[in-house]
Amino acid sequence: MNHPHSDPASRAQPPRQLPVPVQLALSEDAWVDVIQRMDEVYADLVRYQVDLEDKNVALEDAQRFIDSVLSAMSDVLLVAGVDGRVQQVNNALLRLLGSTREALVGRRLADLFTPVSSAVVAGLPLAVRHAAILDCELELMPDTGDPVPIALNCTARLDSDDTLSGVVITGRPLGELRQAYRALREAHDQLKTAQQQLLHSEKMASLGRLVAGVAHELNNPISFVFANMHSLRRYGTRLRTYLDALHAGAPAAALAEARRTLRIDETLADLGALIDGSMEGAQRVSEIVQNLRRFATPQRQTAAAVSLAKVLRSSLTWVERGLRRKPRVHLELDDALEVWSYEGHLQQIFINLIQNAVDAMEGQDEPRLEISARGEADTAVCVCVRDHGPGIAEADLIRVFDPFFTTKDVGKGTGLGLYVSYGLATEQCGGSLQVRNHPQGGAEFRLQLPRRVDDV
Ligand SMILES: Nc1ncnc2c1ncn2[C@@H]1O[C@H](COP(=O)(O)OP(=O)(O)OP(=O)(O)O)[C@@H](O)[C@H]1O
Ligand SMILES: [Mg+2]
């Protein structure tokens, strides 16, 4: 700002000449007084002027700083007054709308948006009074081209005395956000699919190990059903021979003899047991096949009351079917202990833990296994599987749950059993799975579960 009195030369020479008529009317003292006062007033004026110039420089610096920040912002910025007219915009918004600052400042805020959005925009100055931050998705209307969807964040602008003076709107085109979100969702979906495949392949690997045992298990009932059928066929022939004799009107003595030699009474007494035995065998085969199918097919699990003792016993049986030498197993199970959880998941975890335990004791003369399940607090239960094998190397304790970590020979372990079990225990069943080396030797796995899976 330029002022004539800011010139140092003019500051040093204040005007001292007064009009002649006034000069005549004043005494000498009064003159001195007036001149002094004028000097003071002038000095004050000069001081104010210097102050004003300093402030002006600071203001210009601040303005330049704000301008540079506004230009550097990649998000769009819009400031409007309470009258709903645009007061300030930044370069990002100008680029998006293909417009100039001059063309936008002073326009109605609602005119920058599509008609669908303008009703919301018109209500913004009022709406921000009641909300700290208002998020909305609206459509900006560029001078040329298609509407641009944008995610906006609106806040109230307050004066120094806290009265509402307008609204500050920042935002980002939804295209960018949507793209980033879509990419994120795709990556997440891929990850989930990969995890599902991993889970299934681990199941198939476990299944492969169990098949040998299952074949043996199926052989048993099938062979006694066969044996029973042979007997039944023989019994059928005997009964038909006897009935033929009866219908042919054979004398009573001949009939009695036939009854004795054909062992009709023993045959009749045996029939019930033979049929029951065959039914039982067929039932057993059907159960094994059912179990196998439940284990092999990926299916949605539904939570239900699960007896831990029952699932642990059946898991043990599954593993033992494939073993040549069964371990001595100490079971500490409370038959009344139930959890509301996913039976299939729990069975898969138990089979993995028990299989690992017996693998660790392979080659031992007296493999020993301890399995317990007990209630811990009102809301939790704990299942422990402990073996008497060599335990786990200290450095491996933190790696056993990693995918593909295995110390077993190729073809004997995929290194997925514990990884999958950990995922099932924590993410599906809401519990935890921990490992330690037991002070008296062997490895100990502890699975903690909530009593109700919904309690998580
Ligand atoms: N009870 C245990 N005693 C000693 N080491 C164990 C025990 N349980 C697991 N481990 C170690 O943890 C590793 C990983 O176990 P995990 O069940 O994940 O895979 P795996 O048994 O090697 O293969 P998979 O279960 O996929 O067939 C094992 O290879 C073994 O080194
Ligand atoms: Mg394993």
Side-chain angles (χ1 to χ4, degrees):
M1 187 190 287
N2 282 323
H3 190 282
H5 292 155
S6 63
D7 173 6
S10 62
R11 264 185 229 169
Q13 294 169 15
R16 292 181 182 228
Q17 298 302 312
L18 290 173
V20 174
V22 180
Q23 207 173 357
L24 290 175
L26 294 174
S27 70
E28 186 74 7
D29 284 352
W31 263 112
V32 172
D33 198 34
V34 167
I35 289 168
Q36 256 176 5
R37 290 275 170 93
M38 281 186 69
D39 272 351
E40 281 169 21
V41 169
Y42 182 68
D44 279 350
L45 263 175
V46 170
R47 217 169 31 248
Y48 292 148
Q49 176 69 28
V50 172
D51 264 7
L52 217 58
E53 278 171 14
D54 288 348
K55 282 185 180 148
N56 195 36
V57 170
L59 211 62
E60 279 174 356
D61 281 350
Q63 183 66 43
R64 264 196 299 276
F65 178 74
I66 291 171
D67 283 349
S68 68
V69 171
L70 292 186
S71 316
M73 275 176 75
S74 60
D75 284 1
V76 302
L77 172 87
L78 239 172
V79 183
V82 271
D83 58 357
R85 290 195 178 269
V86 177
Q87 291 177 325
Q88 180 65 278
V89 291
N90 72 345
N91 288 354
L93 182 75
L94 297 180
R95 277 196 298 275
L96 205 67
L97 292 179
S99 189
T100 61
R101 183 166 278 107
E102 293 69 32
L104 294 185
V105 171
R107 263 175 79 179
R108 271 174 11 107
L109 186 61
D111 293 345
L112 308 190
F113 292 84
T114 57
V116 188
S117 307
S118 56
V120 181
V121 179
L124 273 182
L126 194 71
V128 290
R129 273 179 221 261
H130 307 294
I133 298 177
L134 204 79
D135 289 317
C136 49
E137 287 180 15
L138 300 173
E139 282 182 335
L140 276 169
M141 192 65 233
D143 286 349
T144 54
D146 295 329
V148 182
I150 187 161
L152 295 173
N153 192 285
C154 315
T155 39
R157 193 165 79 82
L158 302 175
D159 272 345
S160 52
D161 59 355
D162 266 2
T163 53
L164 182 76
S165 66
V167 49
V168 178
I169 304 170
T170 55
R172 181 170 288 193
L174 269 175
E176 286 174 29
L177 287 177
R178 284 216 175 109
Q179 227 171 329
Y181 182 69
R182 202 179 307 128
L184 200 71
R185 204 175 41 200
E186 276 169 14
H188 184 238
D189 287 348
Q190 281 171 1
L191 210 66
K192 269 172 75 177
T193 316
Q195 205 181 19
Q196 284 296 328
Q197 282 168 351
L198 215 60
L199 203 89
H200 190 58
S201 61
E202 203 280 335
K203 245 184 186 180
M204 294 322 268
S206 314
L207 197 61
R209 280 198 305 270
L210 298 174
V211 158
V214 172
H216 173 76
E217 194 76 1
L218 282 176
N219 225 13
N220 241 355
I222 288 176
S223 52
F224 71 71
V225 168
F226 261 126
N228 287 0
M229 289 304 166
H230 278 298
S231 303
L232 282 172
R233 184 185 281 161
R234 240 183 19 252
Y235 288 2
T237 316
R238 283 187 209 165
L239 287 171
R240 194 178 307 115
T241 314
Y242 182 71
L243 284 174
D244 285 347
L246 195 67
H247 284 283
L255 277 180
E257 178 58 16
R259 186 170 183 148
R260 195 183 55 79
T261 50
L262 289 171
R263 304 179 67 199
I264 295 298
D265 293 305
E266 290 89 335
T267 299
L268 287 175
D270 228 16
L271 264 184
L274 275 183
I275 292 171
D276 285 352
S278 305
M279 296 273 284
E280 203 179 300
Q283 178 69 26
R284 184 84 203 97
V285 170
S286 134
E287 266 170 29
I288 294 170
V289 172
Q290 288 277 328
N291 280 344
L292 209 58
R293 196 182 290 153
R294 195 164 352 149
F295 191 73
T297 347
Q299 51 192 251
R300 274 192 73 76
Q301 297 267 345
T302 41
V306 182
S307 155
L308 286 175
K310 197 179 120 225
V311 184
L312 278 164
R313 280 200 189 95
S314 95
S315 306
L316 181 64
T317 314
W318 276 97
V319 176
E320 282 181 338
R321 276 182 193 138
L323 299 180
R324 247 177 279 130
R325 177 192 286 142
K326 292 186 183 176
R328 194 144 56 84
V329 186
H330 178 75
L331 290 172
E332 215 177 288
L333 304 174
D334 172 0
D335 280 300
L337 191 60
E338 281 194 345
V339 285
W340 184 267
S341 195
Y342 303 105
E343 181 169 343
H345 292 335
L346 293 180
Q347 181 160 47
Q348 199 177 349
I349 299 172
F350 297 153
I351 288 179
N352 282 335
L353 296 183
I354 297 171
Q355 182 72 54
N356 280 348
V358 297
D359 286 350
M361 297 184 291
E362 200 184 1
Q364 283 188 358
D365 287 340
E366 281 203 351
R368 274 186 300 144
L369 193 58
E370 280 151 39
I371 301 176
S372 67
R374 57 178 175 275
E376 284 224 308
D378 281 354
T379 53
V381 296
C382 180
V383 176
C384 270
V385 176
R386 182 206 161 182
D387 59 64
H388 287 262
I392 298 170
E394 209 54 38
D396 291 344
L397 277 174
I398 49 162
R399 298 163 63 199
V400 290
F401 297 111
D402 289 352
F404 306 112
F405 174 79
T406 180
T407 54
K408 293 173 189 169
D409 291 340
V410 178
K412 287 203 168 164
T414 52
L416 287 174
L418 287 178
Y419 168 71
V420 169
S421 301
Y422 188 87
L424 292 176
T426 55
E427 283 160 35
Q428 307 293 326
C429 301
S432 67
L433 182 60
Q434 287 158 354
V435 60
R436 67 165 187 158
N437 283 316
H438 195 277
Q440 269 99 53
E444 182 182 67
F445 284 84
R446 283 167 66 88
L447 171 73
Q448 262 177 316
L449 295 167
R451 286 199 192 242
R452 283 191 71 88
V453 81
D454 337 351
D455 289 348
V456 187

